Structures are given as structure tokens and as C-alpha cells.
Amino acid sequence: MRKGVMRPGHIQLRVLDMKEALGHYRDLLGLIEVETDAEGRVYLKGWTEVDKFSVVLREADEPGMDFVGYKVLNNDVLDQLQKDLVEFGCNVEEIPAGELTGCGRRVRFDSPTGHMFEIYAEKEQTGKWGVSNVNPDAWPRGLTGMKATRFDHCLLYGDDIDGTLKLFCDVLGFDLAEQVLDENGDRVAQFLTASMKAHDVAFIKHPEKGKFHHASFFLDTWEDVLRAADLISMEDVSLDIGPTRHGLTHGKTIYFFDPSGNRTEVFCGGDYHYPDHEPVTWTTDQLGKAIFYHDRVLNERFLTALT
Amino acid sequence: MSTQTVETDIKVHRIQVVNRNQEYLCRDDKSLLVGMELQNTQAIEVGCRGGGCGMCKIRILDGEFEKKRMSRAHVSEAEEGEGFALACRILPRGDMVIESDHFEPAQ
């Protein structure tokens, strides 16, 4: 049952070199650089995103994800969910408004898979970049690279995915849209949604806690994905796999790495989910097709290269 | 001495991967990992190529090189002192002798 979580709102990633990272996220992906805060973190967004920022980059000596945040409907929802998270047993920390420039009070909590998440109700709304909210044109001139439209979701690897499923579904009101079950009927992958999208966050079972697999950005068309692939070759960017299609969610996709080894996806399409839909199930004997629908074979790197 | 000039200002160096009993020539403007891939050689596991995932962890036994920042999650300061490194963050500055396959996947 929905509990007032609207959408993925921001993700903070650690990078080894900020200048190189901006070459990836701003110049190649085509995100809009918004500002640099007093700590040196750089804020970016996709051009269609109404809120001020969705990606925060922090320079550090270990790449990976600091946290991913979800926006909730209002402060009443935030207060209620904060209580529910404490009751569930999460370690909950309140981050004051303004710690991320332009973002209101955040409630940060840990999870059984070892990842840090946040919810918040308020963020400065600067509007879509380069288009008006009144009689808007189709798209703005001046976009660069892949012209990524928005931060869409992330995929995380961790051990207790059952515990994190319970947290996201029972406390935060996400639905299980798609899953992979092994021969014993145990879930080894789960795709969760707070919306109509096939996934707003996904988890794959893995022995280590707190690992980051990829951050994903939405493109409108398959032609845009192919053009992204061209740019990846033109710039000699580290490619993982693609362009291809997933069986899971049926998204059309390409995976590549930022200069610090954090994986990025750009994709288009994908299935939709309503709250009354039963989860879509793939079985591990068809895992190759589930992950890479065309190759039907997993590459080891997709399972092993994590930050 | 195997060091050669291939293009203006680009030299190649011979990289010996002792545990795999292989060697390849690596340009000095590419990392040990990407230089290996350009030669269609498979002597080091390829992951993110950006110093993050640890799959290309090697131990450097001999040779001159330049080093870029790499994830502390995979190479601690103590290990770095013992010659451990990620091949994607090492640029050769002379012939090198290395040992690959030092990545330990999670069990």
C-alpha cells in the first residue's frame, strides 16, 4: 500500500577525481551542473527534473554510493514515516534542512542490506532546465552529450534483500514489481516501485553489504540509447555491456562506467506497474535472458564489478 | 630493451605477467589494463577500468610507473606499500613485471 513516497529524488556518489567525474556526468551524460557547495560537493540534475538537483558528487578515496533519497508528499508523511522507520528498527538520523543546499529536513536510515537511504519532503523547485512551465517547448537548446532527462533509479547489491524488501514495502509503501526466484523459490533479485515505473530501486542478493551496482538515467528513445553508445565509443569510455534489452523490466539499455568505476546506465522504455498487479517473475534457470535478453548470457563483470 | 616509440611522444613498454606466463606491449598513455585490452591479451581481469571495483588487482614486482588514485576499499595503504595496485590506475614508464589475479571476490 502506498505510504506517500513519490519518487527517487537524489543520489550522492563518491568519485576519485571531481574534474574527471564532471567530464562524465555533465559533459557525457549531459546533466546540468547546478552548483558547488561549501564542502566541494557538486550538484547536478537532468533537464526535465523540476527539483533543484538529483545527483551529488563528493570526492573521496573510495568510490561508491553514500545514500539515495526519496521525496515524500509532505511533512506529515515525513513525520509519520520517521516514526515507522524507528519502529521497524532502523537506525534513524535527522539531517537538518540546508545540509544539502536547497533541500529540506532529511530523515536518513540504514537498511538490512547495509545501504543508507533518506526521505525528505521539501526541495527548492527551480523548474525544468531551459523550458518554461507555461506553454513549454518540447526541449531546450544547449543540451550536451547523451542529454539524460532524469535520474531514474539505482540498483544495489547486498545480503539481506528479504529484510530490505520488508522495509521498503511494509514501511515505505513500495510494491514488488518484478523478481528473480531461484530453484528453491528464494528471491535473488527484486525490483521495487513507488510509482508506475517498473523500478524505482532494485536489489540483487550478494554476500557483501552496502554495494553499489549502478545509477540509471532515462532517455526517451532507443535511437537515443544508440546515440549514447556512439558517444561512449567516440570518447573511449569504459563500456560494460550494451546496447541491449533486459528481460527484467524490458528496458532498452547500455551500461558503462564513470572514471572512478561507478557504473552508469542510460535506458529507455520499460514495463509499467499498478498496485494491483502481481509481481512479474523470472527464474534463475533463465537468468541470462532475464538480465540480457538478446545475448542470453551473463557477463561475469556485471555481477562482480561493484563499488 | 623492448621500449619502442609508436607515435610521436608515445612509447610502448613490455609488461610481463608472471603468474599467467604472458607478456604484452603497453602504450605509456594507457593504463596497464586498457593497454592489455588493446593488444587482445587476457592476463588481467577486466572490471570497471576506473579504480573502483578491484577486479584488476595486481602486485607490481618490478618496473617504473605512474599511479593514479584508486579505491582504498581494494588497496589499503599497507598493501600499496607492498606493491599492490589496480592495473587500471597504473601507467607504465618502463618495462614492468607484475602478478595478476589478486582480486578476491566476496564469498
Side-chain angles (χ1 to χ4, degrees), chain B:
Chain B
M1 188 69 187
S2 61
T3 299
Q4 311 163 17
T5 301
V6 285
E7 293 167 28
T8 313
D9 297 332
I10 293 176
K11 292 187 168 65
V12 295
H13 304 291
R14 186 168 300 279
I15 312 300
Q16 277 185 60
V17 187
V18 291
N19 60 305
R20 298 275 194 110
N21 198 24
Q22 292 192 67
E23 59 179 44
Y24 63 95
L25 295 174
C26 184
R27 299 163 58 111
D28 68 353
D29 64 335
K30 300 292 182 191
S31 70
L32 292 184
L33 188 70
V34 171
M36 177 199 77
E37 289 187 283
L38 288 172
Q39 297 291 312
N40 287 317
T41 301
Q42 293 172 1
I44 307 168
E45 289 299 312
V46 180
C48 70
R49 308 179 186 87
C53 77
M55 283 177 71
C56 66
K57 190 170 179 178
I58 58 170
R59 187 169 191 177
I60 298 166
L61 304 177
D62 193 31
E64 298 289 315
F65 55 90
E66 267 182 47
K67 182 161 41 183
K68 291 180 72 179
R69 196 176 190 180
M70 61 191 85
S71 176
R72 275 283 172 247
H74 294 289
V75 182
S76 67
E77 281 182 53
E79 284 183 311
E80 196 172 336
E82 295 164 8
F84 290 99
L86 302 183
C88 63
R89 307 301 275 179
I90 300 294
L91 301 165
R93 292 294 173 262
D95 292 353
M96 294 182 69
V97 181
I98 65 171
E99 191 175 73
S100 66
D101 299 324
H102 281 284
F103 176 65
E104 289 171 20
Q107 293 305 309

Side-chain angles (χ1 to χ4, degrees), chain A residues 116-258:
Chain A
M116 299 304 291
F117 298 100
E118 299 183 346
I119 48 174
Y120 63 95
E122 293 174 350
K123 190 183 282 181
E124 188 185 335
Q125 294 207 313
T126 51
K128 291 181 185 178
W129 183 83
V131 290
S132 168
N133 206 33
V134 178
N135 306 324
D137 279 314
W139 41 264
R141 289 184 176 83
L143 294 170
T144 57
M146 299 175 185
K147 308 180 185 184
T149 64
R150 64 165 189 255
F151 166 56
D152 188 88
H153 66 269
C154 60
L155 169 60
L156 306 173
Y157 275 39
D159 53 353
D160 183 5
I161 65 169
D162 289 337
T164 293
L165 179 72
K166 200 167 160 48
L167 168 65
F168 269 76
C169 293
D170 295 357
V171 180
L172 300 173
F174 283 63
D175 292 321
L176 177 63
E178 305 214 3
Q179 61 183 348
V180 179
L181 300 180
D182 70 12
E183 61 277 13
N184 302 314
D186 291 329
R187 201 176 324 93
V188 296
Q190 57 201 22
F191 293 69
L192 314 181
T193 183
S195 64
M196 272 183 68
K197 291 154 56 190
H199 49 352
D200 282 310
V201 64
F203 298 89
I204 287 183
K205 196 173 171 69
H206 176 79
E208 294 166 285
K209 280 190 186 293
K211 301 304 282 186
F212 172 75
H213 188 272
H214 73 261
S216 184
F217 298 86
F218 191 76
L219 301 179
D220 287 322
T221 68
W222 178 229
E223 191 68 27
D224 291 334
V225 176
L226 297 180
R227 190 175 162 279
D230 290 340
L231 286 165
I232 287 167
S233 285
M234 286 179 200
E235 303 287 334
D236 272 331
V237 171
S238 176
L239 176 70
D240 187 5
I241 194 161
T244 184
R245 183 199 282 276
H246 289 304
L248 285 149
T249 77
H250 295 127
K252 288 158 276 186
T253 177
I254 186 165
Y255 286 91
F256 49 109
F257 294 96
D258 82 7

Side-chain angles (χ1 to χ4, degrees), chain A residues 105-122:
Chain A
R105 175 171 66 96
R106 291 134 65 204
V107 173
R108 185 179 292 174
F109 52 99
D110 63 357
S111 61
T113 40
H115 302 96
M116 299 304 291
F117 298 100
E118 299 183 346
I119 48 174
Y120 63 95
E122 293 174 350

